[in-house]
Structure formats: C-alpha cells, structure tokens
Amino acid sequence: MSAKSFTSPQGAVFVASGQNFPDALAGGAAAAKQVGPLLLTSSSRLSGATSNELKRLRPSKIYILGGTGAVSGATAVALNGIAPTQRIGGADRYATAANTSKAIFTSASTVYIASGLGFADALAGGPAAAKQAAPMLLTSATSLPAATRAELTRLQPSAVKILGGNGAVSSRVQSQIQAAVPSARITRYSGADRYATAASVAKAVWPNGSRTVFDASGTSFPDGLSATPSAAVNKAPLLLTSKSCMPSPTASASASLSPSLRVFVGGTGVVTTSGTVCGSTPVAPTPPPPPPTPPSPPSVDYDCGDFSTWPEAQAVFDRYYPAYGDVFRLDRDGDLIACEDLPGAP
C-alpha cells in the first residue's frame, strides 16, 4: 500500500506491530495527519519488506507505536539506523492512543472514538477521521479510560464521533464523553454488524460519493490498518468485505458512493473482488430461443411462371430458402432476389 501511495522521500513514517492491532488503530489517523504511511513489522525484528520500504522512502523521522512488548528494543535500534525514531507508548492501548493523539495533534475540532477491544469499527473509521483531520481515541465498552478522558479534555473538540453500537461503546461511555466535553456534539455511527457500521461511516462522511473506495477484510486487521493513510491520500472511505462475497451493507454503500475505482486491499484469499453479494441467489442466464421450425419439404414444384407478381415469388423463395436453398431455381443470378422479371421486382 505504501509504495502505491507515497513517493520518496517522506517526512514521517509510522511503524507498528503487525501481530496485534491496538497500537496501530490510532496510528492510521496520526500518519494521515503527517501525510505519511503506516508500516507493520513483527514484534521481535524489523521485517524485511518494511526495512526495504523505509529505505525507499528515506523518512526524516520514524514514529514507533507501542511499547517494547509490541515493537522490541532491537527493532527500534534497527529503525533508528534508518532515521531518528520516537516511540509513542503508554501503560495500555488506551494510553498509547491518547499519547499518539497528543504527539501529533496540537488541536482538533473533531475526535473519533472506537472500541479498543476490537479492530473493525476503528478500521473503517480511520480514513473518515483522516478526512476530518481528527485523531482516533479508544475506549472500553463500559467505562471511559482515564487517558482517553484526559485527551478529550485537552483537545476540547466541538464534535465527537462514536464508532459502533452500544455493545462496542455503551451509552454510559457516551455520557462520560459528554461530561468530559460538555459543549461537543456527539454523533454515533453504527449498524447491525461491522459491515453495516463501516457503510454508515462512509455514507455519512462522503455524502456526495467518492471517486475511489478501498475494500479491506472485516475479519482480519493487518491489511486494513496499513491502508488507512493510503485511503486518506486518495480521499477515499474504507469499506469492509469478506473473502467469499460482498456483504449487503457494503454493496449498498458501494452503489451509493458510485466510485470509478475500487481498491481491494489484500490477496484473493482475504477479500473477494467478484462483486457477488452475500446471500444473493445467482440468476440463471436466459436460454436462447429455440431455432424456428423449418417448413415441411415442398410437395409441388414452382417456377416464375406460376406467380403473377414478384412479391408472391419472393415470399415462396424466402419461406423455403433458409432450410432447402433455392429448391425451385427462382433466383437465376444468385442475388437472393427471386423472379426479377415479374412486376414489382426491385
């Protein structure tokens, strides 16, 4: 994703673990704010593909997301050999997200908040947050973490967008958010499932459609995480799909957005590109009509003298010619016009 969306050199690049999602959830919006990519690595060593991309990008700074349990000290040393690094971590995933926001956003009129226990809602919300220059903060389902509350208090946004239904972010948490930023207008984007929530976000933030739409897996996180800055560069929403069919909410949102370009993130073993809607019954092709039944073989012989006008002769010729050819020898010159000497002939 990085190679297709970012040219060299880059000012800042963000690096997070590709084995766990929490630290990278907030990183997509932060990377988009810095107009830089989000790359993934293994926890214990710098992945070869990531190392090669960093060398191509030649960034002036690398932000490492998460503590040493997510991106090891040895990996940080390797990254520092490519460009100066800054680690953004915290006591937990909520503090890491809050500290990422604090490091990158001096202010924000809008803040997005999603569950830190699942990736799907934050994944779809990342490009939306990027479009509105907003950070992504995380919460538990039942209580607003202290680090998240503190960052909301610092930013004092005029709008807060909650991602997911009450099962992901409860009404109690919504009340705690409102208490932290009393003047903020709170909007919730949710749906019957993760695919419907992603569709809801895309339709709300891109009401006039989008030239480009990104599609990522709704059941695995790595591809979608790294896609957020690329989607942001392309001013595109990110919808969630599956590897065998397109969920109905995704298909509906795609039709509403009316893109001229669809970008499928990941291989065919991860996401489908077929456009088949889940649960739809394939429509059998309409069989071709049966060929017309040929007339019975003629039982009498005709010649041009048997007809008074050319249309009469031509009608007999046209009736028998497809099945039997010029059986009566009415077309003397082979131009498919019978008895040209009769009145009315062309």
Side-chain angles (χ1 to χ4, degrees):
M1 292 305 304
S2 171
K4 292 184 180 295
S5 301
F6 296 93
T7 57
S8 179
Q10 284 294 304
V13 172
F14 288 68
V15 176
S17 169
Q19 295 166 275
N20 293 290
F21 61 82
D23 296 329
L25 290 180
K33 176 71 171 176
Q34 297 289 86
V35 197
L38 171 61
L39 303 179
L40 304 179
T41 185
S42 68
S43 297
S44 58
R45 62 181 180 82
L46 181 61
S47 303
T50 301
S51 175
N52 291 336
E53 181 62 4
L54 285 167
K55 290 173 182 176
R56 181 188 74 84
L57 291 169
R58 303 197 307 277
S60 59
K61 186 169 186 176
I62 297 173
Y63 289 95
I64 301 172
L65 301 176
T68 54
V71 179
S72 69
T75 302
V77 170
L79 289 169
N80 197 54
I82 298 172
T85 63
Q86 177 181 339
R87 186 186 289 274
I88 304 175
D92 55 26
R93 61 191 63 192
Y94 309 108
T96 295
N99 290 337
T100 300
S101 171
K102 189 182 299 183
I104 304 302
F105 294 86
T106 56
S107 63
S109 60
T110 300
V111 169
Y112 277 67
I113 295 184
S115 169
L117 301 178
F119 62 85
D121 295 336
L123 206 62
K131 185 175 187 287
Q132 298 178 332
M136 177 73 70
L137 299 179
L138 304 179
T139 183
S140 71
T142 57
S143 180
L144 186 67
T148 304
R149 181 186 294 106
E151 183 60 3
L152 282 169
T153 301
R154 181 186 75 87
L155 291 170
Q156 284 298 308
S158 57
V160 175
K161 313 291 187 180
I162 297 175
L163 301 171
N166 286 333
V169 181
S170 68
S171 57
R172 179 172 184 264
V173 170
Q174 181 170 334
S175 296
Q176 292 172 340
I177 292 169
Q178 192 73 79
V181 281
S183 62
R185 179 171 55 87
I186 297 179
T187 304
R188 185 186 290 269
Y189 299 135
S190 64
D193 56 25
R194 61 189 60 196
Y195 306 103
T197 295
S200 175
V201 172
K203 289 178 180 179
V205 181
W206 284 266
N208 299 316
S210 177
R211 187 187 70 83
T212 304
V213 169
F214 279 59
D215 289 77
S217 171
T219 56
S220 65
F221 60 85
D223 295 327
L225 287 176
S226 59
T228 291
S230 294
V233 166
N234 289 278
K235 300 178 173 62
L238 188 147
L239 297 175
L240 301 181
T241 188
S242 69
K243 67 178 180 179
S244 57
C245 58
M246 183 183 299
S248 179
T250 304
S252 174
S254 296
S256 174
L257 292 164
S258 189
S260 56
L261 175 65
R262 299 278 301 279
V263 178
F264 294 92
V265 184
T268 54
V270 179
V271 293
T272 181
T273 60
S274 69
T276 301
V277 179
C278 301
S280 61
T281 303
V283 178
T286 303
T293 303
S296 300
S299 58
V300 296
D301 194 13
Y302 291 99
D303 59 34
C304 290
D306 294 322
F307 306 103
S308 301
T309 63
W310 170 79
E312 295 174 1
Q314 189 67 38
V316 171
F317 177 84
D318 290 340
R319 175 174 172 75
Y320 289 102
Y321 183 83
Y324 304 106
D326 187 14
V327 66
F328 303 124
R329 299 175 299 283
L330 303 179
D331 178 16
R332 298 186 182 93
D333 55 5
D335 62 356
L336 303 183
I337 298 176
C339 303
E340 295 176 76
D341 296 333
L342 289 176

